[in-house]
Amino acid sequence: MNYKLNSVFFAILILCISFVFTINCVASPVLSRYSEIKKIRFWTAPDHIRIVLDMSGESIYRVRELTNPYRIVIDIPGGKFSSGLKGTEINNGVIDRIRINRLRSSAQVVFDLPRKTHFDHFALKPFKSHPYRIVFDLKKSFSEEEIKRKINTAKLIATSGDRIVIIDPGHGGSDPGACSGSGIKEKDVVLQICRMFAESINKTKGYKAILTRRGDYNVALGKRIEIARSHGGDCFVSVHLNSYPHSRACGSEIYFLSLDGSTDKNAQRVAERENFLLELWNKDKVREDDVQSILLDLTKNDVMSKSSVLAECVAAKMGKTNSIPFRGVKQANFVVLRSMAMPSILVEAAFLSNPRDVRLLRKRDVLNTIAREIAEGVISFLESNSIAETYMGKINYIEHIVKKGETLWSISREYGLPVGSIRSLNNLGKGSTIHPGQKLRLSGKE
Ligand SMILES: [Zn+2]
C-alpha cells in the first residue's frame, strides 16, 4: 500500500515538474473556467512589433518556438476565440501573419515569421477600459551596416551646428493615454500637434526637430532617452493631453521638473497619471542607477533652472491667439523629465475631459496654433540663451552676453548661480564691473 501511494505521489511529482518545464509563462494560478480571446491587435514601431491579445479573464498561456518554418506558438488551455475573430496577414519583414487555430481543448495563436526573432512577452491586468491582456514584443533585427548608418545619421545631426529640439509625442501604440467621452485618444492628437510643431521648427533656419515617435506605436522610456541623447538634443518637449474626473477643468498647462514635490495636488495627480501610464506600458524601464547618474548631471549643469526658463518662454507664447486658455506653469516629478539631461518641459495642451477643449481639438487650425506657439517659445528660449550651450557635451559651458542694465547680481538671480562662482569663472576681482556686450562664462565642466 505504502509502495503504491509512493509511486502515485512520484508520478504526480514528475507530471508537475514536466508541466513547469514545458510552460514558459504562467500568468496566475487564479483562473476563470475558460478565457476568451476577444481581439488581437498589433502596432508596428521602427524597432519592434507589438501584438496584444485582449482576454476575457486571467489566463494560463504557453509559448513555444518552432522551426522549419520559424514560428512562435501560443497555447491557451481551455481558451476560446470570440466568434468572427480571424487571423491576419502582416508581411512587414518581421512577421508574415498571425494565425488562429480553434483546437478542441485550447485556443492557439501562431505568429509565422520569416526568420528567428528575439521576443518578449508579459501579461497585464485590466486597467480602466482595457481588459486582461497578453502582450508580445517582437524585436526587429538590424544588420551591422544599418546600425552604423543610424548612429552616423544621429551623430551628423548632433554635430551639425543646428539647434536640436527633441519633440516627444506622449503615449502611442497599445497605450492610448487619456480618452475623451467621444473616443478621441490622447496619443493621436498629440502626434498631430507634434508633427506640426516639428514642421515649424524645421522651417526655421538653424533649427532641427527630432521626433521620438513618428507613428502609432509604443516607445519605451529608455528609447525616448536614447533618441534625445544620441541626437544631441538642446531641449526636450513632451506633449500630452490632460484628463480630470469632472468636466469643468479646461485649458493648457506647462510643467517642468521638481524633485521635491509638486506645485499643488492637481500637478501631482497629473504627474502620477503620466508616470503610471509610461511605466505600465513600457516593460523595459530605465534602470534606477541610470536615473541617478542623470540626476547628478541635472544639478551640475543647472538643467533644472534652465527648464524653468524654457517653460516661461513657451508660456509667454501660449494662450495668446488660440481659444484654449492657458492655466500657467507648474512643477511636478515626471519620470520622462527626470531622465533628460537637457532643459525639458511637458506640455498638457488641453483637457480631453472638457467638451469645449475637445471641440477645439477637432479643428486643425487650433492644433496648428498650439504647435506654432510651442515652437515659438522654444525658439525664443534657444535664441535668448545667446551662445551654443548644450547639455549633451558638445560644448560644456554656458555663455551669457551682458545686456544693458544687468548687474552680476541680476545675472546671478536669473541663472541661480552664486555671484562668487560667476566672478571666479570669469576671473573678475572684487572691484571689477561688467559692461553690456561682455561675454560671461556661467557654468560648466572643466
Ligand atoms: Zn499623457
Side-chain angles (χ1 to χ4, degrees):
M1 185 69 181
N2 256 352
Y3 173 75
K4 211 172 178 184
L5 263 180
N6 275 347
S7 58
V8 169
F9 174 76
F10 193 63
I12 291 172
L13 188 69
I14 294 288
L15 261 174
C16 288
I17 290 170
S18 62
F19 182 75
V20 166
F21 276 98
T22 46
I23 291 207
N24 282 14
C25 174
V26 179
S28 163
V30 187
L31 300 164
S32 53
R33 200 164 52 81
Y34 72 86
S35 300
E36 191 173 302
I37 297 108
K38 293 185 144 321
K39 254 190 215 166
I40 302 177
R41 303 174 290 149
F42 73 93
W43 294 268
T44 306
D47 59 351
H48 72 278
I49 314 294
R50 171 162 288 191
I51 302 167
V52 177
L53 313 185
D54 287 343
M55 309 295 297
S56 65
E58 212 160 14
S59 324
I60 280 181
Y61 66 100
R62 183 175 69 157
V63 182
R64 290 175 292 153
E65 288 176 76
L66 300 177
T67 49
N68 293 327
Y70 191 81
R71 57 213 191 272
I72 298 168
V73 178
I74 304 110
D75 292 303
I76 299 151
K80 290 195 171 14
F81 292 102
S82 66
S83 62
L85 188 70
K86 285 187 185 136
T88 176
E89 289 286 325
I90 301 180
N91 291 318
N92 60 5
V94 178
I95 175 165
D96 295 333
R97 71 191 66 79
I98 301 171
R99 280 188 288 128
I100 64 166
N101 294 325
R102 298 171 196 271
L103 306 180
R104 207 148 55 106
S105 57
S106 69
Q108 190 177 68
V109 182
V110 182
F111 304 151
D112 287 324
L113 310 175
R115 65 188 70 84
K116 185 173 167 61
T117 299
H118 291 290
F119 68 98
D120 199 5
H121 58 89
F122 52 97
L124 289 173
K125 290 190 186 305
F127 174 69
K128 292 202 168 165
S129 59
H130 302 284
Y132 282 100
R133 284 143 292 160
I134 305 173
V135 181
F136 291 83
D137 283 333
L138 313 184
K139 314 269 158 76
K140 275 189 188 172
S141 53
F142 295 98
S143 67
E144 258 179 53
E145 194 58 33
E146 283 170 314
I147 295 169
K148 252 190 214 161
R149 207 180 312 132
K150 268 189 172 187
I151 294 171
N152 286 342
T153 311
K155 263 190 198 161
L156 223 62
I157 292 169
T159 54
S160 62
D162 284 347
R163 302 291 179 92
I164 311 298
V165 181
I166 308 292
I167 300 177
D168 180 51
H171 314 279
S174 58
D175 167 16
C179 289
S180 76
S182 55
I184 295 181
K185 296 182 184 106
E186 179 182 354
K187 64 172 184 178
D188 297 329
V189 181
V190 296
L191 182 61
Q192 265 182 288
I193 296 174
C194 286
R195 281 179 178 152
M196 293 167 174
F197 174 14
E199 212 179 291
S200 280
I201 293 290
N202 288 333
K203 271 201 307 221
T204 314
K205 200 168 178 288
Y207 287 82
K208 172 117 188 97
I210 298 292
L211 286 159
T212 58
R213 174 166 77 85
R214 295 175 168 277
D216 184 18
Y217 50 81
N218 295 75
V219 186
L221 176 59
K223 187 73 196 170
R224 292 178 203 256
I225 297 170
E226 187 206 308
I227 293 171
R229 278 180 168 178
S230 62
H231 290 88
D234 289 297
C235 69
F236 175 91
V237 182
S238 195
V239 181
H240 290 254
L241 293 173
N242 217 332
S243 166
Y244 201 69
H246 68 67
S247 62
R248 288 191 304 280
C250 65
S252 57
E253 292 169 341
I254 297 174
Y255 287 86
F256 67 98
L257 181 67
S258 158
L259 295 175
D260 345 297
S262 309
T263 308
D264 52 41
K265 278 222 166 88
N266 279 339
Q268 191 181 333
R269 185 189 54 77
V270 174
E272 279 168 5
R273 184 174 58 81
E274 300 290 10
N275 291 346
F276 180 70
L277 286 170
L278 190 64
E279 291 176 342
L280 171 78
W281 292 96
N282 291 308
K283 215 176 147 264
D284 42 337
K285 288 180 195 168
V286 175
R287 283 167 43 227
E288 199 49 39
D289 41 343
D290 285 347
V291 173
Q292 282 308 323
S293 74
I294 292 165
L295 289 183
L296 291 175
D297 284 340
L298 289 179
T299 337
K300 209 166 162 186
N301 289 333
D302 202 18
V303 170
M304 283 173 66
S305 72
K306 282 290 170 193
S307 298
S308 78
V309 180
L310 170 60
E312 292 299 342
C313 286
V314 177
K317 305 283 177 184
M318 286 199 67
K320 288 270 161 63
T321 47
N322 91 48
S323 26
I324 292 185
F326 181 60
R327 292 160 61 95
V329 173
K330 297 180 175 182
Q331 274 186 280
N333 195 344
F334 288 91
V335 68
V336 70
L337 301 185
R338 201 167 68 207
S339 320
M340 293 297 160
M342 65 192 75
S344 310
I345 56 167
L346 186 143
V347 179
E348 293 277 353
F351 277 78
L352 273 179
S353 46
N354 177 268
R356 184 174 174 272
D357 277 8
V358 171
R359 257 199 317 279
L360 291 168
L361 290 174
R362 287 181 190 276
K363 296 182 183 167
R364 204 178 153 75
D365 60 320
V366 171
L367 301 187
N368 224 331
T369 308
I370 298 171
R372 204 191 55 240
E373 287 176 346
I374 305 173
E376 283 173 2
V378 166
I379 290 168
S380 84
F381 164 76
L382 291 171
E383 267 171 5
S384 70
N385 286 281
S386 45
I387 312 299
E389 70 222 55
T390 121
Y391 303 86
M392 307 306 295
K394 272 191 266 177
I395 297 170
N396 52 14
Y397 59 90
I398 297 169
E399 204 169 331
H400 176 86
I401 300 177
V402 179
K403 292 191 274 293
K404 207 174 160 205
E406 280 185 332
T407 63
L408 274 180
W409 284 268
S410 71
I411 296 167
S412 133
R413 270 197 306 277
E414 190 188 335
Y415 287 88
L417 285 170
V419 171
S421 31
I422 303 178
R423 280 194 201 281
S424 69
L425 273 166
N426 295 279
N427 300 321
L428 295 170
K430 276 246 155 143
S432 341
T433 51
I434 53 170
H435 55 84
Q438 185 176 350
K439 286 180 182 173
L440 290 179
R441 188 170 168 171
L442 289 185
S443 68
K445 294 173 268 181
E446 295 302 325

